[in-house]
Amino acid sequence: MKLKIINTWFWKLVMGLATISLIIILLNSIFFPGIRRDLLLPFNALLISSIVLIVLILLFIVIQYLKTHRKSRKYIYLFVIFLQLFLQLYLSTRLQGAQGVDDFDMRLQIANFIAGNQSWAWYFSWAPQNAGTAWVLAKIVNVFGTNQNSTFILNLINFGLVDVAFLSGWLTLKNLKQDRTAQDLYFIIGNLFSPIWLTALVVYTDVISLTSCMVGVYLLSLIQLQQRKWLKLIVFLLGLAFVFLSYVFKMNAIILTIAVLITVIFALNVSCVKKVKLFIGI
């Protein structure tokens, strides 16, 4: 009983800190908009706040509609998914070529691998963390095509990885929440941010690392649904493998690995002292 109370207050503390952080970010966005690297961009705080308020009201209306119209919900989902796939296919066809220095070097290295040149470019001597992504993408492109259509294939791969990441998040909420509101909210907000998916056309480590992260989280969410202990162990190890793989692709993803370990430690049915010892590595 005492352990349960401690766990409850611990997660309340985590949620409280997260709420404070979000409030600070929100206030900073409202009162100091557009300030980045000491440069003030021409954003109007009142205009942005008004637009955000309107979007939130519309979001609330849409959520309520999806709650009460379950049949329409399916058709809305299908329409949005179809539209997304159409736009992704169109953009993959129309927007081809490198978008920046890192993107150019990554594409060049992938092209060299496909052509049979296994030597690494000088770029990777100071950016070795990108080597894994370049190697994996080269292998995938080699399966589906050649250097003649590599840009189109890379675009499709990256968009496909984003879709897998997005779907993994939706399925995770489905596993964790019985109420569909969380899934609908996730679906709507994710699609509102879909213009940012254009960055998937930049060949870099972020997309493949994000996908590994989200698939890992989804697999970990499956643990509670398994009845047999050996199945729980297999799913846990698979989830942990994907989480670790995301770190291989992008070292910043170590944050997720730490978060998973902390979650596992505090979910263990052991004494609070034992949890603290595990947490600090004793």
Side-chain angles (χ1 to χ4, degrees):
M1 184 67 182
K2 189 175 180 180
L3 185 60
K4 186 177 180 181
I5 294 173
I6 293 173
N7 280 338
T8 302
W9 279 103
F10 170 79
W11 290 114
K12 283 185 177 181
L13 175 63
V14 171
M15 288 186 286
L17 292 173
T19 302
I20 292 171
S21 301
L22 290 173
I23 290 173
I24 292 173
I25 293 171
L26 177 63
L27 293 176
N28 183 71
S29 301
I30 293 173
F31 295 107
F32 307 100
I35 296 179
R36 186 173 183 271
R37 297 181 180 177
D38 298 326
L39 295 175
L40 181 59
L41 302 178
F43 292 148
N44 186 296
L46 182 60
L47 176 61
I48 292 175
S49 302
S50 302
I51 292 173
V52 169
L53 181 61
I54 293 171
V55 170
L56 287 175
I57 293 173
L58 291 174
L59 187 63
F60 176 78
I61 294 172
V62 172
I63 288 296
Q64 292 304 313
Y65 179 82
L66 292 176
K67 265 186 172 182
T68 54
H69 297 77
R70 290 300 180 188
K71 192 173 181 180
S72 300
R73 177 179 182 266
K74 180 175 67 174
Y75 295 114
I76 291 172
Y77 265 63
L78 288 173
F79 173 76
V80 174
I81 291 171
F82 174 80
L83 184 62
Q84 282 285 4
L85 293 176
F86 173 79
L87 288 173
Q88 289 176 18
L89 183 61
Y90 174 79
L91 292 172
S92 296
T93 306
R94 301 295 297 176
L95 297 178
Q96 297 193 24
Q99 315 291 323
V101 176
D102 292 295
D103 187 14
F104 177 81
D105 285 301
M106 290 286 287
R107 289 176 185 271
L108 187 61
Q109 185 62 55
I110 291 169
N112 285 338
F113 281 152
I114 295 172
N117 183 1
Q118 301 301 314
S119 61
W120 290 94
W122 176 83
Y123 165 79
F124 292 92
S125 64
W126 60 272
Q129 69 276 9
N130 301 338
T133 302
W135 185 83
V136 170
L137 291 178
K139 292 296 183 183
I140 297 174
V141 173
N142 216 12
V143 172
F144 295 101
T146 63
N147 273 331
Q148 292 181 341
N149 54 4
S150 62
T151 299
F152 175 66
I153 294 172
L154 283 170
N155 288 346
L156 286 180
I157 290 170
N158 278 346
F159 270 134
L161 288 172
V162 172
D163 292 338
V164 170
F166 186 78
L167 177 62
S168 297
W170 190 86
L171 291 173
T172 300
L173 288 175
K174 185 179 180 181
N175 291 337
L176 299 177
K177 294 283 186 181
Q178 297 297 324
D179 187 8
R180 293 179 178 178
T181 303
Q183 296 168 249
D184 293 338
L185 190 61
Y186 174 89
F187 184 79
I188 294 169
I189 293 176
N191 281 284
L192 286 176
F193 277 91
S194 60
I196 303 177
W197 293 7
L198 277 171
T199 55
L201 298 178
V202 178
V203 178
Y204 201 57
T205 58
D206 301 85
V207 174
I208 193 168
S209 178
L210 168 67
T211 304
S212 299
C213 283
M214 296 303 292
V215 171
V217 171
Y218 166 66
L219 288 170
L220 292 173
S221 73
L222 288 175
I223 295 175
Q224 63 177 2
L225 303 179
Q226 309 305 316
Q227 301 298 324
R228 300 178 183 276
K229 288 185 177 180
W230 64 271
L231 279 176
K232 287 180 183 286
L233 180 61
I234 290 175
V235 173
F236 172 72
L237 291 176
L238 281 174
L240 210 59
F242 272 95
V243 170
F244 178 74
L245 192 61
S246 68
Y247 168 67
V248 173
F249 289 127
K250 192 172 184 67
M251 288 186 289
N252 292 353
I254 189 66
I255 298 170
L256 177 63
T257 306
I258 295 171
V260 169
L261 290 175
I262 292 174
T263 303
V264 170
I265 289 171
F266 281 93
L268 293 174
N269 189 23
V270 295
S271 67
C272 189
V273 176
K274 182 66 174 177
K275 288 183 178 182
V276 173
K277 286 184 176 180
L278 289 170
F279 181 72
I280 62 178
I282 299 178

